[in-house]
Amino acid sequence: MKHLLKSTFPLILAIIGFMFFATMTTSCKKEKKDPKPTLATTPLYDTLGWFIQGAQGKVAGNGTKMINDPDNPGKKIQAGRLAIRTVVDKAIMIIAADTVLNVYFPTLLSEVTAGNTTGYSHLLETFTDFVQQAVSSQEVYKGLPMTTAHTHATFSRFGDADHPTSDEADFDQFINDVGQAANSLNVPTSVTGQLATLLISVKGDIVH
Amino acid sequence: MSTKKKIKIAIFSLLGFCLLLFATLVVHIAIMVKGKSQLSSTTIQIARVDFQQELDADQLATIQEDIRALKGVKSSFFNPKSNILIYTFDNRENNAKKIYQEAIQSSNIISTRYVPSSEELEAGCPVINKNSFYGRLTDAISAIIN
C-alpha cells in the first residue's frame, strides 16, 4: 500500500496542480473585485429606485440604495433593481396571458415538484438582470447575447426553420406589454417612456 | 509487479481521478456562485387557465376573489382579449391543479387548465434545469458559502 501511494503520488500531485490551474485561469473568468466597488447608476435608475421607495425627497442616489427585499426576507436589494423586478414581475404575468408572445415562453408554465426552483423565478431574475444592466449600466446580465439568443441558427431553442427570428410585430407587442405592466403599477408616463426607449434600442438585435 | 497489484493501482487511480474531477467541479461552482445572492421567489410558480366562454364582471370578480383567497396564491391577472387567467402561487403551499379545481372548475364556467407539452418546453426561452444534479449541487454549494 505504501509503495502504491508512493508510485502514484507524483501523478496525483500533477493532476491536482493542473486542475487547480485550469479552474483558476480558464473556466471561471471572474473579475477581480474592487475592495470598495462603486455601483454604476443613471438618472433613470435613480428615479426608479426613488419611485419604489414612495417618491419622497431627492432622487439622486436612490437607484443603488440598498433596501429590504420584500420577497426575500433578511436580504437587501438595490432600490432600482427592486423597481425593475416589480415591473418585470407584472410584465411576465401580462406576457403569459398574451397569445402573441406566450408561445416564446413555455418554460414559464413548466410545473416543477413542490419546493423546487421554477422557470418563472429564473426568468424573472434573468429578465430583471437584463433590464437592470440596460438601465443602470451595471454588468449583471450573464445570459446569451441578444442576437444569439433570438436567432434559430445560433440558438436552436428559438423559433424554427420557418421562423428563424422574431418579427417586428412581436417585439412591438412585447414593448406594449412591458408598458402596460408599468402603467398598472402607476409608474409615471415619462419614466415608462424612457424605459421603452431603452428596450427599443436592442430591437435591432432581436428583430433582424 | 503482480496482476493483482496492477489492478489495484488502476482502481485507485481511477477513483482518485473521479474524486479530483468532482473536487474541481465543486471549486468551479463555488467560485462562480460566491457573492451571488439566492434567487428571490424561487418557489413561486405561474399557471394559466383558458376560458372558453365570455366572463361577465361579476363572474370575473368572484373567480379572482376565490383564487386569491386560496392558500399560497400570490397574485392573479386576467386578459379579457385572450380570455386567459394567470395566477402565481408558492409551490410549497399549493399546486396549480388543486387551485384550478377549487377556484375555477367548481364555478361551472367552461375552461381548461393549460399545461405546456414536453415539446413546447424544449423550445423558447431557456431555463436551467435546477432539478438536475448540477442544479442541485449549485444550490447546495451556494447555500453553504453565501
Side-chain angles (χ1 to χ4, degrees), chain A residues 144 146-166 208:
Chain A
L144 290 169
M146 284 294 110
T147 315
T148 313
H150 295 88
T151 310
H152 182 64
T154 49
F155 184 56
S156 62
R157 288 173 68 114
F158 185 85
D160 52 40
D162 297 328
H163 304 93
T165 55
S166 58
H208 47 109

Side-chain angles (χ1 to χ4, degrees), chain A residues 126-142:
Chain A
T126 48
F127 197 172
T128 303
D129 285 348
F130 178 74
V131 179
Q132 185 185 347
Q133 180 160 314
V135 173
S136 71
S137 304
Q138 294 171 24
E139 299 207 354
V140 289
Y141 177 69
K142 306 285 181 207

Side-chain angles (χ1 to χ4, degrees), chain A residues 40-68 70 77-87 131-132 135-136 138 187-188 191-192 194-195:
Chain A
T41 192
T42 59
L44 177 58
Y45 194 61
D46 283 345
T47 306
L48 287 165
W50 169 79
F51 183 75
I52 199 79
Q53 294 176 85
Q56 299 288 320
K58 64 183 178 78
V59 175
N62 276 300
T64 53
K65 188 176 172 186
M66 297 304 283
I67 59 172
N68 290 328
I77 185 172
Q78 290 177 44
R81 179 177 173 84
L82 178 61
I84 290 168
R85 197 185 67 197
T86 307
V87 174
V131 179
Q132 185 185 347
V135 173
S136 71
Q138 294 171 24
V187 176
V191 176
T192 307
Q194 289 179 65
L195 200 57

